[in-house]
C-alpha cells in the first residue's frame, strides 16, 4: 500500500490546517503513535523503525538537494514533518523518556550557545544566506 501523500493534496491541506487545533496535541500524538505501534503486524512496532530509517533517508536526500541549490522548500518541509513524526515512533518503541530527551537537548543547546559565543569573538558578525538556496518554482 502506497501511503505517500500527493503534493497538491499536501499543499491544500496545509492551507486549511491550524497547527494549534488540538490543545492536547502532544497527548493525542502519543495515543495515536501508541495505537499504531500496538497494531503493527510484528506486535512490537519495531517494523516501524525501518520506516523511520527510510524517512530519515528521504530527508537526507532533500537536504542534499538544498546544498546543491536544487532544493524544494515544500518537499523539505514535508520530510522534516515526517522525521519529527518518526521520532515519536522511536521514543515509543524504544521506551525513551521525554524528560530525559529534553535534558539532553538542553545540554546540547547550551553547548551550541557556548560554541557560538566563542566563535563570535573570532569571526565577528557575518552576513548569512541561510534559506536562500531553494529553487524557484
Amino acid at each position: 500500500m502506497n501511503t505517500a501523500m500527493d503534493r497538491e493534496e499536501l499543499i491544500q491541506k496545509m492551507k486549511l490546517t491550524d497547527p494549534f487545533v488540538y490543545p492536547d496535541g502532544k497527548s493525542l500524538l502519543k495515543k495515536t503513535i501508541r495505537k499504531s505501534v500496538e497494531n503493527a503486524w510484528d506486535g512490537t512496532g519495531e517494523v516501524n523503525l525501518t520506516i523511520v530509517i527510510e524517512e530519515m533517508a528521504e530527508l537526507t536526500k532533500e537536504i542534499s538537494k538544498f546544498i546543491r541549490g536544487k532544493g524544494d522548500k515544500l518537499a523539505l518541509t514535508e520530510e522534516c514533518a515526517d522525521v519529527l513524526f518518526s521520532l515519536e515512533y522511536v521514543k515509543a518503541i524504544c521506551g525513551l523518556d521525554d524528560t530525559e530527551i529534553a535534558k539532553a537537548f538542553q545540554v546540547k543547546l547550551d553547548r551550541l550557545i557556548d560554541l557560538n559565543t566563542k566563535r563570535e569573538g573570532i569571526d565577528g558578525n557575518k552576513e548569512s544566506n541561510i534559506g536562500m538556496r531553494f529553487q524557484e518554482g
Side-chain angles (χ1 to χ4, degrees):
M1 174 171 83
N2 183 0
T3 59
M5 182 174 279
D6 173 70
R7 184 176 179 87
E8 288 305 314
E9 179 186 3
L10 174 66
I11 292 168
Q12 292 307 314
K13 287 188 176 185
M14 284 177 65
K15 287 179 183 177
L16 300 172
T17 297
D18 176 359
F20 305 106
V21 72
Y22 299 113
D24 66 337
K26 193 160 183 111
S27 74
L28 178 63
L29 174 63
K30 288 187 175 298
K31 287 177 195 170
T32 305
I33 294 289
R34 191 175 330 111
K35 187 169 189 91
S36 179
V37 167
E38 290 168 358
N39 291 334
W41 65 265
D42 68 348
T44 66
E46 289 182 9
V47 66
N48 291 323
L49 294 177
T50 301
I51 295 168
V52 169
I53 293 166
E54 291 168 359
E55 293 298 346
M56 290 181 176
E58 289 173 16
L59 177 58
T60 300
K61 180 183 82 171
E62 291 303 324
I63 292 169
S64 177
K65 287 180 181 179
F66 173 81
I67 291 168
R68 293 175 305 175
K70 299 178 189 235
D72 176 336
K73 191 172 186 175
L74 179 63
L76 187 56
T77 299
E78 182 178 12
E79 296 309 331
C80 283
D82 286 345
V83 168
L84 287 172
F85 200 89
S86 295
L87 290 175
E88 294 298 324
Y89 275 105
V90 173
K91 293 188 314 187
I93 294 165
C94 300
L96 301 179
D97 179 70
D98 283 337
T99 302
E100 292 302 306
I101 291 171
K103 288 178 183 179
F105 186 92
Q106 187 63 51
V107 169
K108 299 284 186 168
L109 177 59
D110 290 346
R111 182 173 179 270
L112 182 59
I113 291 168
D114 186 48
L115 286 171
N116 284 341
T117 302
K118 288 177 183 174
R119 286 183 184 141
E120 284 174 2
I122 297 168
D123 298 341
N125 291 332
K126 288 186 174 179
E127 220 174 281
S128 174
N129 67 347
I130 293 173
M132 305 307 278
R133 296 186 186 179
F134 290 110
Q135 204 170 16
E136 293 297 320

